[in-house]
Amino acid sequence: LEHQAKDAESAAQEEVEILKNKSNLLNPKDRKALIARLKKEMAAAADIMQYELAAQYRDEIRALEAM
């Protein structure tokens, strides 16, 4: 179970990095959809007590909202 959580966290971190690199290319509609998706991911991470991952999503959401 711990191994699955680490794999999920690693995959999520990679996805966040990819999205960060592409976020400047998004139109406002796509950016809004991305923020909604990240909020769902953040809630899911918090639900399984992956608080560091949830915080990473929170920070990414804040950065996207500031654009």
Side-chain angles (χ1 to χ4, degrees):
L1 184 60
E2 185 176 321
H3 182 67
Q4 289 175 336
K6 292 282 186 192
D7 288 344
E9 182 177 348
S10 178
Q13 287 173 339
E14 289 176 24
E15 184 177 344
V16 166
E17 285 302 315
I18 291 168
L19 294 172
K20 279 180 14 181
N21 293 333
K22 293 182 178 182
S23 63
N24 288 334
L25 303 175
L26 296 175
N27 64 44
K29 181 180 176 184
D30 291 339
R31 185 175 291 122
K32 187 175 181 179
L34 174 58
I35 289 169
R37 181 170 172 231
L38 290 174
K39 285 181 178 181
K40 288 179 184 178
E41 293 291 331
M42 180 179 68
D47 286 345
I48 60 170
M49 295 187 273
Q50 294 290 319
Y51 300 118
E52 290 180 19
L53 181 59
Q56 289 176 354
Y57 284 124
R58 179 204 60 216
D59 294 344
E60 182 60 25
I61 291 164
R62 287 180 180 167
L64 288 168
E65 289 175 337
M67 291 182 157

